[in-house]
Amino acid sequence: IMKKTEVLVVCTHQEILNTVVRLVNSNTEMSAIGANTLEQAITTFRSANFDLVLVGAGLEKAEETELEHVIRKVNRKIPIVFHYGGGSGLLFTEIYEALK
């Protein structure tokens, strides 16, 4: 059995977060967990092994920078994808590109 790609989705807009998490989870190769605040994202990131972090809309620039800093301290190589909409096709393209 292939290990699923673990994705942390960060977005402060709950409806968008739910949609993106659902979309990622609809892909049999992936598993997503959502976080809707910077604090929740950091706590969740530290509590599990993620293969990719997907950052959506809503965080302040400073919060994105802080999140990136925390992620890099834990794992320098993990891809961070900034996704601000554009549909599921684009979403998966961005994820697969980042995982290469």
Side-chain angles (χ1 to χ4, degrees):
I1 282 181
M2 241 185 72
K3 184 184 148 343
K4 286 192 175 194
T5 300
E6 300 291 337
V7 180
L8 173 60
V9 182
V10 185
C11 178
T12 61
H13 302 285
Q14 191 63 50
E15 300 79 36
I16 298 172
L17 179 63
N18 294 346
T19 303
V20 174
V21 167
R22 192 178 67 240
L23 268 172
V24 174
N25 282 331
S26 73
N27 182 320
T28 54
E29 297 169 12
M30 297 181 190
S31 173
I33 293 177
N36 63 7
T37 64
L38 174 64
E39 294 71 29
Q40 192 186 0
I42 290 170
T43 305
T44 307
F45 181 77
R46 287 186 171 143
S47 70
N49 278 319
F50 290 97
D51 301 300
L52 181 132
V53 177
L54 188 68
V55 180
L59 288 182
E60 300 292 324
K61 194 76 202 126
E63 292 179 312
E64 285 186 358
T65 304
E66 188 182 335
L67 179 61
E68 208 166 334
H69 184 74
V70 168
I71 291 167
R72 292 281 168 250
K73 276 208 313 217
V74 175
N75 179 348
R76 287 210 82 49
K77 295 207 167 21
I78 190 167
I80 303 171
V81 176
F82 293 92
H83 175 79
Y84 303 114
S88 59
L90 178 65
L91 175 70
F92 286 113
T93 303
E94 289 174 338
I95 290 173
Y96 285 122
E97 280 298 311
L99 289 170
K100 273 186 194 165

